[in-house]
PDB file of all heavy atoms in Angstrom:
ATOM      1  N   GLN B 539     -14.447  37.844 -16.512  1.00 95.00           N
ATOM      2  CA  GLN B 539     -15.041  37.457 -15.239  1.00 95.00           C
ATOM      3  C   GLN B 539     -15.481  35.996 -15.288  1.00 95.00           C
ATOM      4  O   GLN B 539     -15.363  35.271 -14.297  1.00 95.00           O
ATOM      5  CB  GLN B 539     -16.239  38.359 -14.919  1.00 95.00           C
ATOM      6  CG  GLN B 539     -16.716  38.223 -13.475  1.00 95.00           C
ATOM      7  CD  GLN B 539     -17.682  39.318 -13.074  1.00 95.00           C
ATOM      8  OE1 GLN B 539     -18.220  40.031 -13.921  1.00 95.00           O
ATOM      9  NE2 GLN B 539     -17.902  39.470 -11.787  1.00 95.00           N
ATOM     10  N   GLN B 540     -15.939  35.561 -16.448  1.00 96.00           N
ATOM     11  CA  GLN B 540     -16.283  34.152 -16.624  1.00 96.00           C
ATOM     12  C   GLN B 540     -15.029  33.284 -16.469  1.00 96.00           C
ATOM     13  O   GLN B 540     -15.054  32.247 -15.795  1.00 96.00           O
ATOM     14  CB  GLN B 540     -16.911  33.951 -18.003  1.00 96.00           C
ATOM     15  CG  GLN B 540     -17.257  32.520 -18.308  1.00 96.00           C
ATOM     16  CD  GLN B 540     -17.970  32.389 -19.642  1.00 96.00           C
ATOM     17  OE1 GLN B 540     -19.180  32.548 -19.726  1.00 96.00           O
ATOM     18  NE2 GLN B 540     -17.218  32.102 -20.687  1.00 96.00           N
ATOM     19  N   VAL B 541     -13.939  33.706 -17.098  1.00 97.00           N
ATOM     20  CA  VAL B 541     -12.681  32.961 -16.964  1.00 97.00           C
ATOM     21  C   VAL B 541     -12.279  32.875 -15.493  1.00 97.00           C
ATOM     22  O   VAL B 541     -11.891  31.812 -14.992  1.00 97.00           O
ATOM     23  CB  VAL B 541     -11.547  33.633 -17.779  1.00 97.00           C
ATOM     24  CG1 VAL B 541     -10.210  32.956 -17.509  1.00 97.00           C
ATOM     25  CG2 VAL B 541     -11.858  33.588 -19.270  1.00 97.00           C
ATOM     26  N   ALA B 542     -12.419  33.996 -14.786  1.00 96.00           N
ATOM     27  CA  ALA B 542     -12.052  34.032 -13.362  1.00 96.00           C
ATOM     28  C   ALA B 542     -12.896  33.040 -12.571  1.00 96.00           C
ATOM     29  O   ALA B 542     -12.373  32.247 -11.781  1.00 96.00           O
ATOM     30  CB  ALA B 542     -12.224  35.447 -12.816  1.00 96.00           C
ATOM     31  N   VAL B 543     -14.214  33.074 -12.776  1.00 96.00           N
ATOM     32  CA  VAL B 543     -15.105  32.172 -12.037  1.00 96.00           C
ATOM     33  C   VAL B 543     -14.745  30.718 -12.334  1.00 96.00           C
ATOM     34  O   VAL B 543     -14.691  29.876 -11.433  1.00 96.00           O
ATOM     35  CB  VAL B 543     -16.586  32.472 -12.370  1.00 96.00           C
ATOM     36  CG1 VAL B 543     -17.501  31.360 -11.878  1.00 96.00           C
ATOM     37  CG2 VAL B 543     -16.994  33.813 -11.776  1.00 96.00           C
ATOM     38  N   ILE B 544     -14.458  30.411 -13.587  1.00 97.00           N
ATOM     39  CA  ILE B 544     -14.145  29.020 -13.948  1.00 97.00           C
ATOM     40  C   ILE B 544     -12.794  28.604 -13.362  1.00 97.00           C
ATOM     41  O   ILE B 544     -12.662  27.502 -12.823  1.00 97.00           O
ATOM     42  CB  ILE B 544     -14.217  28.839 -15.480  1.00 97.00           C
ATOM     43  CG1 ILE B 544     -15.676  28.986 -15.922  1.00 97.00           C
ATOM     44  CG2 ILE B 544     -13.649  27.482 -15.902  1.00 97.00           C
ATOM     45  CD1 ILE B 544     -15.857  29.163 -17.402  1.00 97.00           C
ATOM     46  N   GLU B 545     -11.815  29.496 -13.416  1.00 97.00           N
ATOM     47  CA  GLU B 545     -10.515  29.167 -12.789  1.00 97.00           C
ATOM     48  C   GLU B 545     -10.693  28.942 -11.284  1.00 97.00           C
ATOM     49  O   GLU B 545     -10.108  28.034 -10.711  1.00 97.00           O
ATOM     50  CB  GLU B 545      -9.487  30.277 -13.035  1.00 97.00           C
ATOM     51  CG  GLU B 545      -8.972  30.298 -14.467  1.00 97.00           C
ATOM     52  CD  GLU B 545      -7.800  31.263 -14.653  1.00 97.00           C
ATOM     53  OE1 GLU B 545      -7.321  31.855 -13.649  1.00 97.00           O
ATOM     54  OE2 GLU B 545      -7.371  31.448 -15.809  1.00 97.00           O
ATOM     55  N   ASN B 546     -11.504  29.792 -10.652  1.00 96.00           N
ATOM     56  CA  ASN B 546     -11.730  29.646  -9.213  1.00 96.00           C
ATOM     57  C   ASN B 546     -12.464  28.346  -8.900  1.00 96.00           C
ATOM     58  O   ASN B 546     -12.183  27.686  -7.895  1.00 96.00           O
ATOM     59  CB  ASN B 546     -12.517  30.850  -8.673  1.00 96.00           C
ATOM     60  CG  ASN B 546     -11.712  32.135  -8.748  1.00 96.00           C
ATOM     61  OD1 ASN B 546     -10.479  32.096  -8.767  1.00 96.00           O
ATOM     62  ND2 ASN B 546     -12.381  33.272  -8.829  1.00 96.00           N
ATOM     63  N   MET B 547     -13.398  27.969  -9.769  1.00 97.00           N
ATOM     64  CA  MET B 547     -14.138  26.720  -9.564  1.00 97.00           C
ATOM     65  C   MET B 547     -13.203  25.517  -9.688  1.00 97.00           C
ATOM     66  O   MET B 547     -13.267  24.578  -8.882  1.00 97.00           O
ATOM     67  CB  MET B 547     -15.282  26.608 -10.568  1.00 97.00           C
ATOM     68  CG  MET B 547     -16.076  25.324 -10.396  1.00 97.00           C
ATOM     69  SD  MET B 547     -17.604  25.311 -11.353  1.00 97.00           S
ATOM     70  CE  MET B 547     -16.972  24.921 -12.972  1.00 97.00           C
ATOM     71  N   VAL B 548     -12.351  25.546 -10.689  1.00 98.00           N
ATOM     72  CA  VAL B 548     -11.398  24.450 -10.887  1.00 98.00           C
ATOM     73  C   VAL B 548     -10.512  24.308  -9.650  1.00 98.00           C
ATOM     74  O   VAL B 548     -10.281  23.194  -9.169  1.00 98.00           O
ATOM     75  CB  VAL B 548     -10.571  24.709 -12.168  1.00 98.00           C
ATOM     76  CG1 VAL B 548      -9.318  23.859 -12.203  1.00 98.00           C
ATOM     77  CG2 VAL B 548     -11.430  24.441 -13.400  1.00 98.00           C
ATOM     78  N   ARG B 549     -10.044  25.425  -9.105  1.00 97.00           N
ATOM     79  CA  ARG B 549      -9.216  25.381  -7.901  1.00 97.00           C
ATOM     80  C   ARG B 549     -10.012  24.918  -6.677  1.00 97.00           C
ATOM     81  O   ARG B 549      -9.556  24.065  -5.912  1.00 97.00           O
ATOM     82  CB  ARG B 549      -8.605  26.749  -7.611  1.00 97.00           C
ATOM     83  CG  ARG B 549      -7.254  26.963  -8.234  1.00 97.00           C
ATOM     84  CD  ARG B 549      -6.416  28.080  -7.611  1.00 97.00           C
ATOM     85  NE  ARG B 549      -7.135  29.081  -6.876  1.00 97.00           N
ATOM     86  CZ  ARG B 549      -7.800  30.092  -7.419  1.00 97.00           C
ATOM     87  NH1 ARG B 549      -7.836  30.249  -8.727  1.00 97.00           N
ATOM     88  NH2 ARG B 549      -8.419  30.964  -6.656  1.00 97.00           N
ATOM     89  N   THR B 550     -11.208  25.482  -6.511  1.00 97.00           N
ATOM     90  CA  THR B 550     -12.011  25.173  -5.321  1.00 97.00           C
ATOM     91  C   THR B 550     -12.373  23.689  -5.255  1.00 97.00           C
ATOM     92  O   THR B 550     -12.346  23.091  -4.190  1.00 97.00           O
ATOM     93  CB  THR B 550     -13.298  26.025  -5.307  1.00 97.00           C
ATOM     94  OG1 THR B 550     -12.924  27.398  -5.219  1.00 97.00           O
ATOM     95  CG2 THR B 550     -14.198  25.686  -4.125  1.00 97.00           C
ATOM     96  N   PHE B 551     -12.709  23.094  -6.404  1.00 98.00           N
ATOM     97  CA  PHE B 551     -13.173  21.695  -6.397  1.00 98.00           C
ATOM     98  C   PHE B 551     -12.126  20.728  -6.954  1.00 98.00           C
ATOM     99  O   PHE B 551     -12.439  19.560  -7.186  1.00 98.00           O
ATOM    100  CB  PHE B 551     -14.496  21.576  -7.161  1.00 98.00           C
ATOM    101  CG  PHE B 551     -15.624  22.358  -6.540  1.00 98.00           C
ATOM    102  CD1 PHE B 551     -16.306  23.316  -7.259  1.00 98.00           C
ATOM    103  CD2 PHE B 551     -15.984  22.135  -5.214  1.00 98.00           C
ATOM    104  CE1 PHE B 551     -17.345  24.048  -6.688  1.00 98.00           C
ATOM    105  CE2 PHE B 551     -17.014  22.857  -4.625  1.00 98.00           C
ATOM    106  CZ  PHE B 551     -17.688  23.828  -5.361  1.00 98.00           C
TER     107      PHE B 551
END
Side-chain angles (χ1 to χ4, degrees):
Chain B
Q539 193 167 15
Q540 178 176 275
V541 173
V543 167
I544 292 166
E545 287 189 5
N546 293 336
M547 180 169 79
V548 163
R549 269 200 338 281
T550 297
F551 297 123

